[in-house]
Structure formats: C-alpha cells, structure tokens
Amino acid sequence: MFRITAKERPDWQAQAQAHGFEFHTMYGEKYWDESAYYQFSLKQIEQDLEAPSEELHQMLLHVVELVCNDEALLQQFAIPPSQWELVTRSWRRRDLALYGRFDFSYDGKSPAKLLEANYDTPTSLFETGYWQWLWLQQQVDAGQLPRNADQFNSLQEALIERFYQLHKFHRGQPLHFACCKNSSEDLGTIQYMRSCAMAAGLKTREGFIEDIGLIDDQFVDLQSQPIHWMFKLYPWEFMFTDEYSHSLTASNTQWLEPAWKAILSNKAILPLLWQTFPNHPNLLPAYFEADKSKLQHHPSGYVKKPLLSREGANIDIYRNGQLLAQSSGDYGAEGYIYQAYHALPEFSGMRTLIGSWMVGDNAVGIGVREDSSLITQDLSRFLPHIILG
C-alpha cells in the first residue's frame, strides 16, 4: 500500500460539474483530490479488505438476531420502545437491504481494524462507484497509469444488480428517493442511486424528506400519491423521534434501508461484536459505559464515541489520561461506547481511512479518505486508488 503523487487531469473540475458532481469542493476546500492516489496489491485487496468485509457482514447479521431477541439490548441501543415492534418485525420478515460501508484502519501490513459500520445512510457512493473509476480510465488512456492498473470497484454494477433483484418484490411500484433539502452532497447521492435504479429498469420518483405527507397513516408524496417503497437518505434515529413516528408501524411503506438497519447504524454494535467474537483479528476491544474502565490503561489509549453520530462528530481520543484529539457536534445524548484506539496509518503526513462497501452480502469496492487530523470528518478528502501487482 503506497501513496503516490499524481498529475491532475487539467479539466477535472469542468468534467465534475458536467457530471453533476457539485460537491467536489466544499466550503472552499477540496473534497475530491487527485493530486495523489493509493496503490494496493491484489493480495491486500482480496485477503485484507474484501474477505474480512464479507466475514464481518455475516457477524453483523448474527448480532442483529441477538438484539432482536433481547429487550435489554434494544434498550441499550437506545431504540425507543415504541419502535421495537417496527425494528424486530422488519428483521423477522427479513426485509431486504441494499448496502453498507465498513470504515477500517489499514496500513497494508497488519489486519484491517474495524472502526465502525455505516449501514443505514452511508454516503460517498458517486465518488466511489463512478468518479474514481472514470479517473482510472482517463489516467490510463493519458499514459499516467499503466495499462494493467485496476481498481477494487464493482460498486455501480452491484447496485444496479441489487436494485434489479429488489424490484422483483415491488413490481409496478415506483421507488421514491428522498433526502433532506439544502445538502448538495445528499442530493447528488440520491440522484446517483436513482440513476442506478433506473438502469435496473425501475420506475422512480424523487423528492425531499420535508415534503413527505401523511394521510390516514400512509406516507404520501407531494402529489398525495402513496409511497409504497422508498430509499431514504435519512437516519432511522431521526425517524423514530420525528412527529410522524407514530405512523411508522401502521404505514405499509417499505423502506430502504429497512428498520432493522437501525441496529447496525448504532455504535453499540461495536462492544456487542467484541463480546460475541472476542479477539477477532479485525475487531478492536470495545465496551459499554459500565465496563469502560477495562480500557482505562490500554497502551494505545481509547476512543469515546456517541451511540448515534455521523461524520466523525463528538469523538474524543484519550491516551494515558490525556486528550489527544476531539471533534465537535451535537450528538451524545443517548450515551457512549468506548473502543481501543487504533491510529489511522500515516502516509505523507496524512491519516488514511478505508471505506469498504457492501452491496447485499458481497464486498464490492473501496473508497479512500485522508486528513491531517486523527479524526476523519465530513470534509476529509477523497482520493482514488488503483490495484497494481
């Protein structure tokens, strides 16, 4: 695994705009960064990232079963009792899911360590599935990369195939796509997802979360048409407490991701994984609040994470009683978990995070983020990667 300085395509910003990639630069800072790329060997991809991702995915499903059969665990995950039936019924029906992403600390030498699982509303799909693949093709054609350079990236094809599979269970019903207003990144993400669904032959509609209505416990769109099936880029923990939450169980709307994903979007999954699969090579020791003293003297330190948070918000990193790093945010009201600290590897002064994508039960690609900070957050840059050797 190497970080290699690269020559940028002279027109990539214009191409990005033409492809609707409007969030390539955010708040004046570069988000997409092709001034360098990461190079992996095929062995590193297959043995260290692809295989562990698929094994961890099965472990997650095992843990969902445990939680759905234990009210004490549902409580520990801070899922409101009023929504337990929705979540457990969704799991027992095996409501079909679409995708997820693992975040790993991986240096190319040691086993990848799971930092967290993002299985409800993960983003960076367009830049992983399409944009970095376009970069590879153009850089090969321009002679900047060798002809045999490859990429671990079948994300787009896998999404199209998965939409096609899911469509069989919703024949004739349009799939609604929705995100919140005022986020170009979220809008770009659902538009990309919608294009994949349309490529699979699905009828689709697009809207915003704020515009969804409710008629007799049935969710409807702006035209008052029933929403039978919806992909929502909106977290379950928000849906559980929004003003319409009382209708979630009564409504016949099918959701992507399904309600059981609320268990996997919760960092309480980390201590439960460690309890269930202790000393697994891809897991880090993790504990609930009551057992946090077990990490008090951990040689590498520990990380305090809110049960519910996104984009690296409200993270504290401690070592030897000293605060190493901290991120701001509005999360933490539901409580915290504690995980042994495993520093992100450093390449050219940058801290690198690997996002490993799952579609259905298969690992289908990676995205690479980097930052000079110890904590990866929403503005951390996205860099492309290649496989060579």
Side-chain angles (χ1 to χ4, degrees):
M1 180 180 177
F2 306 102
R3 185 185 190 277
I4 299 173
T5 302
K7 184 177 180 181
E8 298 186 29
R9 294 166 294 170
D11 63 340
W12 75 260
Q13 289 95 340
Q15 283 199 62
Q17 290 298 131
H19 283 84
F21 186 16
E22 296 182 356
F23 53 98
H24 62 76
T25 302
M26 292 191 282
Y27 308 106
E29 299 290 335
K30 187 185 289 185
Y31 168 65
W32 167 262
D33 184 358
E34 59 179 64
S35 64
Y37 62 87
Y38 283 84
Q39 178 178 317
F40 299 83
S41 70
L42 184 60
K43 182 180 177 183
Q44 288 170 333
I45 292 292
E46 290 183 341
Q47 295 187 9
D48 297 346
L49 296 170
E50 184 178 6
S53 293
E54 294 185 350
E55 183 181 359
L56 287 167
H57 175 76
Q58 294 302 322
M59 291 158 61
L60 286 182
L61 299 183
H62 176 80
V63 170
V64 173
E65 175 75 16
L66 297 180
V67 176
C68 285
N69 287 309
D70 190 332
E71 291 188 353
L73 287 176
L74 286 164
Q75 189 94 42
Q76 201 154 25
F77 275 63
I79 295 173
S82 60
Q83 304 298 340
W84 289 358
E85 181 188 350
L86 177 75
V87 172
T88 58
R89 191 176 65 184
S90 164
W91 172 247
R92 287 173 186 138
R93 279 194 313 237
R94 296 297 192 270
D95 284 353
L96 296 173
L98 180 61
Y99 73 142
R101 192 193 73 222
F102 293 109
D103 285 347
F104 288 126
S105 174
Y106 175 63
D107 62 3
K109 303 169 187 171
S110 310
K113 296 294 186 183
L114 177 64
L115 302 181
E116 60 186 58
N118 304 279
Y119 262 61
D120 185 14
T121 58
T123 55
S124 75
L125 281 162
F126 173 82
E127 48 272 47
T128 300
Y130 179 74
W131 188 249
Q132 68 168 345
W133 181 254
L134 183 67
W135 166 87
L136 174 68
Q137 299 302 307
Q138 293 183 348
Q139 292 295 66
V140 168
D141 290 343
Q144 297 296 322
L145 292 172
R147 281 281 165 197
N148 59 340
D150 200 356
Q151 199 172 77
F152 180 35
N153 189 5
S154 60
L155 177 59
Q156 181 164 302
E157 293 88 341
L159 285 171
I160 293 170
E161 174 60 25
R162 187 62 174 169
F163 275 123
Y164 180 76
Q165 294 170 358
L166 297 175
H167 178 47
K168 297 175 182 175
F169 299 91
H170 300 274
R171 290 191 186 281
Q173 296 174 346
L175 175 58
H176 286 71
F177 287 82
C179 66
C180 289
K181 297 177 179 176
N182 304 320
S183 171
S184 60
E185 181 181 6
D186 286 1
L187 182 59
T189 298
I190 67 160
Q191 289 176 337
Y192 174 66
M193 294 288 270
R194 186 184 181 194
S195 71
C196 292
M198 293 170 71
L202 276 66
K203 297 177 182 176
T204 64
R205 293 178 184 164
E206 183 180 310
F208 292 106
I209 294 291
E210 294 90 336
D211 293 333
I212 295 173
L214 194 61
I215 299 176
D216 296 331
D217 281 334
Q218 175 59 53
F219 293 100
V220 297
D221 61 21
L222 270 179
Q223 288 72 46
S224 298
Q225 294 300 305
I227 298 173
H228 295 294
W229 188 26
M230 166 164 277
F231 173 86
K232 50 144 197 88
L233 200 61
Y234 191 66
W236 273 108
E237 63 263 27
F238 293 175
M239 295 173 68
F240 288 159
T241 57
D242 279 342
E243 59 184 13
Y244 54 75
S245 60
H246 62 278
S247 294
L248 286 170
T249 302
S251 167
N252 67 4
T253 301
Q254 295 289 309
W255 304 96
L256 283 176
E257 297 294 301
W260 60 265
K261 284 295 192 80
I263 295 170
L264 298 185
S265 64
N266 190 310
K267 292 181 181 60
I269 202 76
L270 297 170
L272 201 52
L273 276 172
W274 184 251
Q275 284 179 27
T276 311
F277 305 98
N279 302 312
H280 187 283
N282 298 114
L283 296 179
L284 292 165
Y287 300 96
F288 289 108
E289 181 92 27
D291 294 321
K292 66 179 182 180
S293 60
K294 293 180 179 178
L295 290 175
Q296 202 72 33
H297 303 292
H298 195 278
S300 64
Y302 66 91
V303 186
K304 178 183 176 184
K305 298 181 175 181
L307 292 183
L308 304 172
S309 70
R310 291 168 194 280
E311 303 285 8
N314 297 101
I315 300 290
D316 294 345
I317 303 176
Y318 292 90
R319 182 185 291 157
N320 298 325
Q322 302 294 314
L323 182 64
L324 292 183
Q326 185 175 51
S327 59
S328 61
D330 299 323
Y331 298 97
E334 294 80 9
Y336 295 85
I337 63 97
Y338 299 79
Q339 183 185 47
Y341 178 50
H342 189 86
L344 294 171
E346 187 172 341
F347 295 87
S348 304
M350 295 296 162
R351 300 285 181 171
T352 305
L353 177 83
I354 306 296
S356 178
W357 286 94
M358 299 293 302
V359 174
D361 296 328
N362 301 313
V364 295
I366 61 168
V368 183
R369 305 281 299 277
E370 69 170 27
D371 203 303
S372 56
S373 166
L374 298 180
I375 302 172
T376 304
Q377 294 194 265
D378 55 344
L379 295 181
S380 298
R381 292 172 302 283
F382 188 106
L383 278 75
H385 79 276
I386 68 168
I387 303 172
L388 198 62

